[in-house]
Amino acid sequence: MTSTRGRVAALLGAVAVVAGTTLATPALAAAAEPAGVGGGISRQAPCPDAPEFTCGTLTVPLDHSGATPGSLDLAVAVAGNTDAPKGDLLFLTGGPGQPGVPLMKRIASKLEPVLKDYRLVMYDQRGTGGGALQCPGLQEDMGSSDLAAPREQSIADCAAALGPNARFYGSADTVADIDLLRQALGDRRLTLDGVSYGTFVAERYALAHPAHVARLVLDSVVPQQGYDPLDLAALPASARVLTAACRATGCTTDPAADLAAVVRQYGNGAQILDALTSYEFTDPNYGGVAEALHEAAAGQPAKLQNFIDTVHQGDAAPANLLSQGLHAATVCADGRFPWGTTDTPVAGRAAALERTRQRLTAEQTWPYDAATATGLGSLLVCLDWPREQVPPTPSAHRKLPDVPVLLLGGDRDLSTPNEWLYQQAASAHDPQIVIVPGAAHSVQTRAANPVGRQAVYDFLLKQG
């Protein structure tokens, strides 16, 4: 859902902070305790690339209902300060599709000011890392993007390779895994701090297990209702973001008007949005974009096309670092599309999508067009995905538990635009909102401006 939408590589993590616990001894299962589903963390040893951390394995059922046999082994990494006064800090990676354990040292460096009070824990979500779902064609087509349009054959091959077990890789399964991890760690409550897709998982965990949540940090927010596969927040947000970036860099053009003209002239809106939501991680000022759009609007598209091609070439990613198979399985299990859910018969989906395209107004999609909204990879990958039963969605009107909530956003973020942040804030009881100037996606791990990280430190270390 990069977000789940936007840019999968951007979805760097959801942080879940475990608090309200008493940890007099290591919360990991003792070495003598037999490994079992939800029964502890087995095979503990120093992490190969980070021996200051302990790595182990959490075994979870493939099907949490128990109807289908099988289990999955999820890698876990834990820091050594077992007496941390505020308990465990569990960092959940995003995408969906990223592993967690390989990022342990990087995340520890970003969260260092709170790690005397929290013990850092990370794990690989089901279908990621060493157990990544493998879909080579989809991986080649999409790399680290979820807006790039994949080939129909790649989608079909992926669905065939995953088979009926694809239905066990939705966010509801991840939420259930997290609660087994909580139990294995011996914790009573979790403070969830999510980044991008991780915010969605954190919100869904809080809704499913409100008694086990102490506080929430939501960074680059996907609302609890799920991402919009038509991206009707990101489309108009492009005008706001590009205009702000233009002002910051002193450009003299109108990038929003130029973008609208380019989309009308070349019909390449989906490719432009895909490139922009990737490029924001390289340069939140979108340097050179305004000039390329201005030239293309004047009939000289070479610079813009080179920008799109260059960004796409840089999107390559192997499945063990970002599984597009897992991403497809999760998005299609979670998503609510113009045709309904993935439980809708495949035969009628294309017609429903076309009816939606015809109903979309210029006001909804400007500076893009309706074809942009209905031509994004995060939607198209599920258009012909095999029909499967999907989990129920929590009521759109349910509020999060009455716990402290911090919501972070960057004012240059197109992957998870601030409009989503404010939508989610309405479901919190007393939200604290921090918008970081000049920052794009993933404020805690990527923003040059330290305001967002400091807000997280203050929030997590606050008493009460």
Side-chain angles (χ1 to χ4, degrees):
M1 276 183 203
T2 265
S3 306
T4 22
R5 75 144 299 286
R7 177 66 38 189
V8 179
L11 306 186
L12 189 68
V15 181
V17 180
V18 184
T21 63
T22 300
L23 299 177
T25 59
L28 293 178
E33 182 177 338
V37 174
I41 297 175
S42 62
R43 300 196 285 272
Q44 297 176 48
C47 296
D49 298 324
E52 64 271 33
F53 303 112
T54 298
C55 282
T57 301
L58 174 73
T59 301
V60 300
L62 171 67
D63 175 6
H64 282 278
S65 76
T68 300
S71 63
L72 300 170
D73 287 342
L74 309 182
V76 180
V78 185
N81 56 329
T82 59
D83 58 350
K86 289 183 178 291
D88 293 334
L89 169 60
L90 171 64
F91 191 100
L92 307 167
T93 48
Q98 288 185 315
V101 172
L103 296 175
M104 186 75 167
K105 290 186 75 169
R106 180 187 176 196
I107 300 308
S109 70
K110 298 293 184 181
L111 294 172
E112 191 275 334
V114 305
L115 295 187
K116 289 182 179 179
D117 290 80
Y118 293 93
R119 181 177 66 164
L120 182 63
V121 180
M122 296 185 69
Y123 90 111
D124 290 352
Q125 177 186 323
R126 59 171 58 203
T128 72
L133 299 187
Q134 300 287 335
C135 289
L138 208 58
Q139 202 73 36
E140 178 183 354
D141 293 351
M142 304 188 75
S144 61
S145 169
D146 68 351
L147 295 185
R151 294 168 292 177
E152 291 183 5
Q153 189 61 52
S154 297
I155 300 170
D157 289 346
C158 183
L162 301 186
N165 283 352
R167 69 188 187 278
F168 300 128
Y169 291 88
S171 294
D173 301 284
T174 296
V175 165
D177 291 343
I178 293 170
D179 205 53
L180 290 181
L181 179 56
R182 176 191 64 80
Q183 295 172 46
L185 291 167
D187 292 314
R188 182 169 59 87
R189 292 194 300 165
L190 305 175
T191 296
L192 304 176
D193 173 357
V195 181
S196 194
Y197 167 68
T199 67
F200 178 74
V201 173
E203 294 149 10
R204 286 296 180 90
Y205 183 86
L207 292 171
H209 302 281
H212 296 307
V213 174
R215 64 181 61 208
L216 293 164
V217 177
L218 307 175
D219 172 359
S220 306
V221 180
V222 178
Q224 67 192 53
Q225 293 82 10
Y227 83 110
D228 174 11
L230 298 173
D231 253 352
L232 295 182
L235 298 185
S238 294
R240 168 178 56 80
V241 168
L242 290 177
T243 299
C246 182
R247 285 197 301 264
T249 56
C251 82
T252 58
T253 63
D254 183 343
D258 286 337
L259 174 55
V262 168
V263 172
R264 286 196 305 270
Q265 187 171 351
Y266 302 104
N268 57 353
Q271 292 79 17
I272 293 174
L273 182 60
D274 179 29
L276 291 176
T277 55
S278 181
Y279 192 56
E280 70 177 278
F281 303 104
T282 301
D283 181 6
N285 285 326
Y286 299 87
V289 171
E291 179 185 359
L293 288 171
H294 193 62
E295 289 188 9
Q300 299 176 334
K303 187 174 292 185
L304 177 62
Q305 189 59 53
N306 181 66
F307 165 72
I308 293 171
D309 293 343
T310 301
V311 170
H312 183 64
Q313 289 168 5
D315 272 341
N320 67 313
L321 295 184
L322 200 157
S323 169
Q324 284 290 354
L326 184 279
H327 186 268
T330 302
V331 168
C332 296
D334 291 353
R336 298 300 184 266
F337 304 97
W339 55 83
T341 70
T342 302
D343 202 12
T344 300
V346 175
R349 295 179 191 173
L353 182 60
E354 175 58 21
R355 290 193 296 271
T356 296
R357 187 192 66 80
Q358 293 177 5
R359 288 196 299 266
L360 288 171
T361 66
E363 182 180 5
Q364 289 175 291
T365 61
W366 192 89
Y368 299 93
D369 58 8
T372 301
T374 57
L376 300 172
S378 49
L379 181 153
L380 296 178
V381 76
C382 298
L383 180 60
D384 293 317
W385 196 257
R387 187 179 183 183
E388 65 186 26
Q389 186 176 0
V390 298
T393 301
S395 168
H397 303 294
R398 281 187 61 188
K399 279 189 170 287
L400 296 171
D402 189 4
V403 298
V405 180
L406 171 65
L407 300 101
L408 295 176
D411 69 352
R412 307 286 173 78
D413 189 2
L414 287 176
S415 289
T416 52
N418 292 163
E419 288 80 358
W420 284 359
L421 182 154
Y422 289 108
Q423 178 183 340
Q424 181 58 41
S427 296
H429 288 268
D430 186 20
Q432 176 184 342
I433 296 172
V434 177
I435 305 297
V436 181
H441 194 72
S442 190
V443 170
Q444 293 177 87
T445 61
R446 294 180 177 270
N449 188 331
V451 169
R453 282 185 293 275
Q454 189 59 53
V456 173
Y457 305 153
D458 294 343
F459 179 81
L460 292 179
L461 297 176
K462 185 177 181 180
Q463 297 299 316

